[in-house]
Amino acid sequence: MFLPILMHTFVWESMDMLKELEQLKSDFKTSLSKAATKTHLLELKSVYLGKKGKLSSILKGLKEMGPKERKTLGQKSNEYKREIETALSKKMEALEVFEIDEKLKKTGVDPTYRESLFDLGLMEAGLHPVTLVQREVEDIFLSMGLDILDGPHIEDDYHNFEALNIPADHPARDMQDTFWFKDLKHLLRTHTSTIQIRGMKMQRPPFKFVGPGKVFRSERTDASHEMVFHQLEGMMVDKDLSVANLIYFMKTLLTEVFGKETEVRLRPGFFPFVEPGFELDIRCQVCHGKGCRVCKQSGWVELLPCGMVHPNVLRFGRIDPSVYNGFAFGLGLDRLVMMKYGIDDIRHIHGGDLRFISQFRMY
Ligand code: DAH
């Protein structure tokens, strides 16, 4: 007799527990329909499903059940638990969408627009203006059939000076304040003209190439001078090249870069590695010739020093100057960036201020 009574108790208690579970489910539904925030939802989760929550406390009773009841009730409670979890995460998702919608309504922001993302405090990654302009110029040269070469930042005396016709005690060395290494043999290249020497040794004429990159000068900085800046060296070697070819080439280049014909001025300039040498100035695009601190009130900016390659330099490059000649130029890339965008201080370019740099994002 003992056994049936006990079984009866199990059945009776399990009926009770089932009712409790049903109740729990319907209570949950009501609470869920009232929950209006994400915090509220998290609270509900802990109240119903947490370690000390309602479901756990009902399930404590399972211990007292017979194996059959335990199984049925266990399955039932798992089913309800899953239902509750799914309902919670669905509502959580809906609330998140709602919150975003509300925020957008308030700020008037449309996240499909780049500017709008900025309003939300998000920053888009982009390219540095010097990189942008360098790539643009490289494309122009590639379309003109030139190769693009590279050279090291750490150079030796030979490539930076000697092979460019600037021997050890030549006064022209003072034109470029140099960062020397302790061994006094190596230095941070002061110009990209070093690439001329490397380029000549790599190939036989006729050839034409450009070599862009960073250069370093131990100089006091001001609105138009930086210690680290960028140049783009160009060299063309062939038979019978003339100053007329050089000037035509430079003008075409500037027209391509600025997208219109630009006013230029050619002056004689002295650089030991060219003869004759020129300074090619363009009208200052910051003040349009009126005079400003970038052009030092002159209305003109030195942008493209150039000249016919000196025979000694060709010889250093193992090229016979009685057969070949060439022209070379050194384009100031930072100046070009300043001219293109009307920037009146070179220090903005490398100041690392994101408010400045982010204005040049590529779309
Ligand atoms: N390397 C020179 C400098 O940094 C610029 C230069 C002048 C380069 C004349 C050239 C050139 O190729 O022909 O001051």
Side-chain angles (χ1 to χ4, degrees), residues 221-237:
T221 61
D222 62 28
S224 50
H225 292 92
E226 259 288 15
M227 287 199 268
V228 182
F229 54 102
H230 300 79
Q231 291 183 336
L232 181 135
E233 194 75 14
M235 187 178 213
M236 188 177 282
V237 173

Side-chain angles (χ1 to χ4, degrees), residues 160 164 166 175-176 190-194 196 215 217 229 231-235 246 269-279 302-309 327-332:
N160 199 83
L164 284 162
I166 317 175
M175 284 163 67
Q176 303 183 349
T190 58
H191 51 181
T192 46
S193 301
T194 52
Q196 288 190 30
V215 298
R217 304 262 176 103
F229 54 102
Q231 291 183 336
L232 181 135
E233 194 75 14
M235 187 178 213
L246 164 69
F270 173 70
F271 305 95
F273 33 93
V274 281
E275 179 56 40
F278 305 98
E279 288 280 9
E302 290 174 14
L303 187 71
L304 246 175
C306 53
M308 302 304 291
V309 181
F327 61 75
F329 56 91
L331 177 65

Side-chain angles (χ1 to χ4, degrees), residues 66-77:
K68 208 170 137 206
E69 286 76 13
R70 206 182 294 163
K71 193 175 168 201
T72 338
L73 284 168
Q75 278 172 352
K76 203 75 193 157
S77 64

Side-chain angles (χ1 to χ4, degrees), residues 250-312:
M250 299 293 126
K251 282 195 105 175
T252 314
L253 163 65
L254 289 175
T255 309
E256 288 281 337
V257 170
F258 289 101
K260 59 176 191 257
E261 209 162 319
T262 8
E263 209 184 330
V264 297
R265 177 174 88 166
L266 199 66
R267 295 178 288 131
F270 173 70
F271 305 95
F273 33 93
V274 281
E275 179 56 40
F278 305 98
E279 288 280 9
L280 200 146
D281 305 337
I282 64 159
R283 262 281 177 230
C284 180
Q285 306 286 305
V286 175
C287 62
H288 301 286
K290 285 194 203 89
C292 66
R293 60 178 179 157
V294 177
C295 59
K296 302 206 182 73
Q297 313 307 328
S298 71
W300 295 94
V301 172
E302 290 174 14
L303 187 71
L304 246 175
C306 53
M308 302 304 291
V309 181
H310 195 289
N312 285 349

